[in-house]
């Protein structure tokens, strides 16, 4: 479904379109996409587990650091955007402020962190699919990984913003339905 969405999103033909969505994302879309992409996946898996195992303490053990981290990241992003208004990456800012060597080191650390996060996310997906007894969990997880990679690489930041927003809205509707029931 998200790949289908990426077929209709324009603006990824240029570097600014692909990497920063022409800098046109507003506060709502940026926030909803971050919630959809960062908090939702972990929130559905880790916070539910912690709440089940440890009650409210376990839930807040997970949720509070996530929210604090998101607020720190949002603040840092605004500061970086002020210093490098036409920049594209945090690595670019670090290299311009502290030197090319530190920029490269940051990029290496960031790449390994991203690989670890992706590995953890897809392992969680596999374990969840396996837990609910869906046949061929490895194949389904592989298709999810492949589909995510294809639509992300094809559409860039604009598609990621749109799909993250859709995920957040779907989760909001689901939470409202569950609360009603």
């Amino acid at each position: 479904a998200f790949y289908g969405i990426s077929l209709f999103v324009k603006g990824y033909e240029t570097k600014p379109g692909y990497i920063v969505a022409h800098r046109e994302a507003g506060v709502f879309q940026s926030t909803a996409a971050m919630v959809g992409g960062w908090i939702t996946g972990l929130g559905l898996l880790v916070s539910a587990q912690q709440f089940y195992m440890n009650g409210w303490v376990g839930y807040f053990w997970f949720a509070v650091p996530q929210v604090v981290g998101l607020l720190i990241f949002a603040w840092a992003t605004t500061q970086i955007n002020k210093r490098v208004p036409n920049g594209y990456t945090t690595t670019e800012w670090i290299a311009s402020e502290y030197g090319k060597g530190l920029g490269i080191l940051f990029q290496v650390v960031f790449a390994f962190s991203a690989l670890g996060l992706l590995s953890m996310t897809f392992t969680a997906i596999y374990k969840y699919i396996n837990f609910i007894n869906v046949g061929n969990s490895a194949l389904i997880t592989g298709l999810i990984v492949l589909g995510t990679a294809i639509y992300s690489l094809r559409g860039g930041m604009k598609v990621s913003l749109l799909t993250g927003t859709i995920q957040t809205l779907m989760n909001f509707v689901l939470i409202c339905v569950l609360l009603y029931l």
Side-chain angles (χ1 to χ4, degrees):
F2 287 145
Y3 178 75
I5 291 168
S6 76
L7 296 174
F8 297 101
V9 173
K10 298 293 180 205
Y12 51 80
E13 298 88 4
T14 64
K15 182 178 179 180
Y18 186 83
I19 296 175
V20 292
H22 295 294
R23 302 183 195 284
E24 295 172 348
V27 172
F28 171 77
Q29 189 177 30
S30 298
T31 303
M34 270 196 266
V35 169
W38 185 18
I39 304 251
T40 302
L42 289 173
L44 289 175
L45 300 168
V46 179
S47 65
Q49 175 194 14
Q50 287 299 319
F51 184 76
Y52 177 76
M53 292 173 58
N54 302 311
W56 285 104
V57 172
Y59 174 76
F60 284 108
W61 167 87
F62 172 77
V64 170
Q66 291 295 315
V67 171
V68 169
L70 189 60
L71 292 173
I72 291 170
F73 182 75
W75 174 82
T77 300
T78 60
Q79 299 306 307
I80 292 170
N81 285 339
K82 287 177 186 173
R83 292 182 183 200
V84 189
N86 295 318
Y88 292 106
T89 65
T90 306
T91 304
E92 183 179 22
W93 169 71
I94 288 174
S96 71
E97 288 282 320
Y98 303 107
K100 189 174 181 176
L102 195 57
I104 291 169
L105 178 63
F106 175 81
Q107 187 63 41
V108 169
V109 170
F110 182 77
F112 279 112
S113 297
L115 183 62
L117 181 60
L118 287 171
S119 299
M120 179 188 70
T121 302
F122 292 126
T123 299
I125 290 169
Y126 172 79
K127 289 179 145 292
Y128 178 74
I129 291 170
N130 203 30
F131 175 75
I132 61 173
N133 291 323
V134 174
N136 214 345
S137 302
L139 177 64
I140 293 171
T141 302
L143 290 173
I144 290 170
V145 170
L146 183 64
T148 303
I150 289 171
Y151 85 72
S152 297
L153 291 173
R154 184 188 183 295
M157 183 56 72
K158 215 166 195 179
V159 169
S160 295
L161 288 166
L162 182 59
T163 57
T165 302
I166 291 169
Q167 288 173 349
T168 299
L169 294 174
M170 288 171 59
N171 282 313
F172 179 74
V173 169
L174 178 63
I175 287 169
C176 289
V177 168
L178 290 173
L179 287 173
Y180 176 77
L181 295 174

